[in-house]
């Protein structure tokens, strides 16, 4: 059974069905993208790295555009989130039509298998479960902001489908990555007054692709900075092609690479929508965060030890995601406790199986084991193949 019908769940189901594994898959196709990504957003991934993996050709992003009567595009084309959602649903309809729209409400260990409860009230047994619940369960809220959250003055970027409701308001956006910078740009364009607050000494933006197709880059450039699904460079090539080896690295090294390879930055096309448009305060830490008369009062410190006060109507957390099995409420508590973890994330075998036999995790939940490539759509191929091999071996 597969829980979740986003890119990783769909790719897993497609590969399993092609391998002859009987399965059921539950979830609303692309629901996380539709509900938790803001309108007007663009993907940071380039088109050549934005295809959901299928076991046979004909289901790539380019195939979707061709089927819609749209012309081909290269890597200089930022993909609108609405178009990617349409692609995911097109993939599901043609490659994984067996998706059941019911939601899984509970999973518990039962006699060497799993008892499943759906929101429809149906209950059944499954021999194996693949958890592909996406980003939202792992949205990170810094503890220093909890008093603001209790007062209803904060939200995470994943909570907003539309940012136009902030028009006219002062909004502090906390973070320095793509989510922070693009959310601030969307807020500004919607008539809000955003201020970005970042710990980083400066905000960074990627460089535009040199060509529309990776293979068209000069040979000397490709030798110096080889191409990869995550971008040019030897380190990106290593983590995108070496996910199987990544899990054998020492735990501290894996944690460091997960946060430093492709660290916080904005896409190249975002720079002109940010630079000079609204305040960006770099090198700042939140010393205290208090509600005051229905507004936000932040005390910030800078690298020199100076302090400043910042007032706003709302604080938007673009603080990323931290994988913690304990936050997956659909897993019954004793089942969560049985999963061996490191830093909150599940320890996974080469086949993505946890310490609980038959319980698998994919997508972001597997990134601490297999590396940054599991944070992007281009990781669906590796994950689905490894899962299919592991589950096929289990069913022998």
């Amino acid at each position: 059974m597969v829980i979740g019908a986003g890119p990783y769940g769909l790719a897993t189901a497609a590969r399993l069905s092609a391998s002859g594994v009987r399965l059921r898959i539950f979830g609303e196709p692309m629901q996380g993208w539709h509900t938790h990504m803001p309108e007007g957003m663009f993907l940071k991934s380039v088109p050549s790295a934005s295809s959901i993996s299928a076991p046979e050709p004909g289901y790539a992003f380019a195939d979707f555009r061709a089927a819609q009567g749209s012309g081909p595009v290269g890597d200089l084309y930022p993909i609108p989130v609405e178009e990617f959602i349409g692609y995911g649903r097109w993939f599901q309809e043609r490659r994984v039509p067996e998706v059941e729209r019911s939601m899984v409400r509970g999973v518990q260990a039962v006699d060497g298998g799993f008892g499943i409860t759906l929101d429809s009230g149906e209950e059944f047994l499954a021999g194996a479960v693949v958890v592909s619940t996406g980003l939202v369960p792992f949205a990170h809220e810094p503890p220093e902001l909890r008093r603001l959250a209790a007062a209803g003055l904060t939200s995470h970027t994943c909570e907003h489908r539309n940012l136009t409701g902030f028009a006219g308001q002062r909004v502090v956006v906390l973070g320095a990555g793509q989510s922070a910078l693009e959310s601030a740009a969307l807020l500004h364009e919607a008539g809000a007054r955003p201020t970005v607050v970042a710990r980083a000494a400066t905000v960074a933006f990627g460089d535009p692709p040199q060509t529309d197709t990776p293979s068209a880059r000069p040979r000397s450039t490709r030798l110096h900075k080889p191409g990869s699904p995550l971008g040019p460079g030897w380190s990106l090539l290593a983590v995108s092609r070496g996910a199987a080896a990544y899990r054998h690295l020492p735990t501290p090294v894996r944690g460091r690479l997960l946060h430093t390879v492709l660290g916080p930055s904005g896409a190249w096309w975002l720079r002109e929508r940010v630079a000079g448009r609204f305040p960006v305060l770099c090198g700042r830490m939140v010393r205290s965060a208090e509600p005051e008369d229905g507004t936000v009062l932040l005390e910030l410190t800078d690298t020199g030890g100076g302090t400043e006060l910042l007032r706003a109507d709302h604080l938007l957390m673009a603080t990323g995601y931290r994988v913690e099995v304990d936050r997956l409420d659909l897993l019954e508590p004793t089942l969560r406790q049985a999963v061996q973890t490191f830093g909150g994330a599940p320890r996974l075998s080469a086949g993505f199986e946890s310490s609980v036999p038959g319980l698998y995790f994919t997508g972001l939940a597997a990134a601490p084991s297999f590396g940054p490539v599991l944070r992007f759509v281009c990781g669906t191929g590796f994950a689905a193949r490894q899962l299919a091999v592991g589950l096929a071996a289990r069913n022998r």
Side-chain angles (χ1 to χ4, degrees), residues 170-172 195 292 295-298 309-314:
R170 301 166 297 172
V171 182
V172 169
T195 298
E292 184 179 86
T295 64
V296 173
L297 177 61
L298 298 179
L309 295 179
L310 184 61
R311 299 178 188 275
D313 301 299
H314 191 82

Side-chain angles (χ1 to χ4, degrees), residues 213-346:
T213 56
S215 60
R217 297 166 65 222
R219 184 172 181 274
S220 60
T221 303
R222 282 183 280 136
L223 287 173
H224 179 62
K225 284 192 172 184
S228 81
L230 299 179
W234 286 102
S235 62
L236 298 183
L237 179 65
V239 297
S240 60
R241 301 299 187 192
Y246 187 94
R247 61 183 288 272
H248 296 293
L249 294 171
T251 299
V253 175
R254 273 186 284 157
R256 185 168 64 252
L257 290 174
L258 188 64
H259 291 97
T260 58
V261 175
L262 288 173
S265 67
W268 62 271
W269 43 262
L270 190 56
R271 186 192 299 269
E272 65 179 21
R273 294 170 58 195
V274 173
R277 305 286 181 173
F278 42 82
V280 177
L281 307 181
C282 295
R284 306 304 207 279
M285 297 280 289
V286 176
R287 182 173 182 176
S288 66
E290 302 290 338
E292 184 179 86
D293 298 327
T295 64
V296 173
L297 177 61
L298 298 179
E299 184 180 8
L300 307 178
T301 61
D302 59 31
T303 54
T307 64
E308 61 189 297
L309 295 179
L310 184 61
R311 299 178 188 275
D313 301 299
H314 191 82
L315 188 147
L316 184 63
M317 297 178 289
T319 45
Y321 303 85
R322 293 188 181 178
V323 177
E324 296 178 8
V325 172
D326 281 345
R327 298 180 67 181
L328 292 173
D329 292 339
L330 61 84
L331 302 182
E332 187 265 337
T334 58
L335 179 56
R336 294 200 302 267
Q337 293 164 12
V339 177
Q340 293 181 9
T341 62
F342 63 102

Side-chain angles (χ1 to χ4, degrees), residues 342-363:
F342 63 102
R347 281 189 191 278
L348 302 179
S349 71
F352 285 65
E353 188 175 22
S354 73
S355 59
V356 176
L359 181 62
Y360 298 76
F361 293 84
T362 189

Side-chain angles (χ1 to χ4, degrees), residues 167-205:
Q169 296 187 35
R170 301 166 297 172
V171 182
V172 169
V173 182
L174 193 61
Q178 174 75 9
S179 179
L181 299 174
E182 188 169 20
S183 294
L186 290 169
L187 284 165
H188 172 73
E189 291 157 6
R193 290 177 285 162
T195 298
V196 174
V197 173
R199 288 181 298 178
T202 183
V203 295
F205 294 91

Side-chain angles (χ1 to χ4, degrees), residues 8 11-16 19 21 53-55 128 130 239-248 348-354 359-363 366 369-371 373-374 378-396:
Y8 277 86
T12 299
R15 184 72 59 168
L16 291 176
S19 301
V21 176
S53 177
V130 179
V239 297
S240 60
R241 301 299 187 192
Y246 187 94
R247 61 183 288 272
H248 296 293
L348 302 179
S349 71
F352 285 65
E353 188 175 22
S354 73
L359 181 62
Y360 298 76
F361 293 84
T362 189
S369 290
F370 295 97
V373 71
L374 270 293
C378 61
T380 57
F382 169 77
R385 288 191 298 271
Q386 295 296 107
L387 268 163
V389 170
L391 278 163
R394 176 182 174 81
N395 290 338
R396 291 194 187 107

